[in-house]
Amino acid sequence: LECIAICEEVLFINKNDTYVLNLIGKSHYNLGNNEESLPYLKRLLEFKPDDLDTFMLLIRIYFNIKNYEDCIKYCIKFLSIDNSDMVVKRLLTRCYNGIGNEKLAEEMLLEIIKQNPKDLESKVTLVRNYYTAQKYEKVHEICNQILNMK
């Protein structure tokens, strides 16, 4: 907490210090003060709009506080910079499920599986989604794929 207080004083002198914005945002996050870190991290993105570390932190925070709409927004921005990140794609899928958009969740899971056909976690999630939607033929199809994985 002393670190945050000192950084706040530095920020008072230089409100655009990206190092200090990053330090305060991460410090609040590490202390479990998710929502208190948000303004610092968002402000940091104003200066570093392609900073994937900051995007990832915002994604995790919004996911943890179950603000799926904002989490989706930051996942999409992240993926527009780096479309290969499986962690972000999985979180995006979970957000789509969280807001009840099974169609987008299915599309993202199929994209992940297309990129990595041996991704067991995504196949199991897809099976759950199909089962919930009572698409039992698709459940059977994906379960057979899982059983035949080597």
Side-chain angles (χ1 to χ4, degrees), residues 80-123:
S80 73
I81 300 166
D82 177 4
N83 193 37
S84 66
D85 194 292
M86 292 298 183
V87 172
V88 173
K89 288 182 177 186
R90 284 190 192 105
L91 282 170
L92 182 56
T93 299
R94 292 173 69 185
C95 289
Y96 286 144
N97 280 331
I99 62 169
N101 194 330
E102 291 83 16
K103 183 177 180 343
L104 287 176
E106 176 187 13
E107 288 173 9
M108 183 55 59
L109 286 166
L110 290 171
E111 180 181 323
I112 292 168
I113 293 167
K114 185 177 180 181
Q115 277 184 291
N116 185 1
K118 295 186 181 210
D119 184 354
L120 182 60
E121 180 182 340
S122 295
K123 286 186 177 188

Side-chain angles (χ1 to χ4, degrees), residues 16-64:
N16 298 329
D17 188 319
T18 57
Y19 178 77
V20 172
L21 287 169
N22 185 41
L23 194 57
I24 295 173
K26 285 183 178 177
S27 294
H28 278 300
Y29 176 77
N30 290 333
L31 291 170
N33 304 328
N34 286 330
E35 293 191 35
E36 290 180 39
S37 66
L38 291 173
Y40 300 99
L41 297 172
K42 287 181 183 178
R43 193 133 164 266
L44 182 58
L45 280 182
E46 293 173 16
F47 298 102
K48 296 181 172 186
D50 294 336
D51 184 7
L52 294 179
D53 290 335
T54 303
F55 274 112
M56 183 59 85
L57 216 48
L58 285 164
I59 289 166
R60 290 186 187 285
I61 290 168
Y62 282 122
F63 185 81
N64 289 341

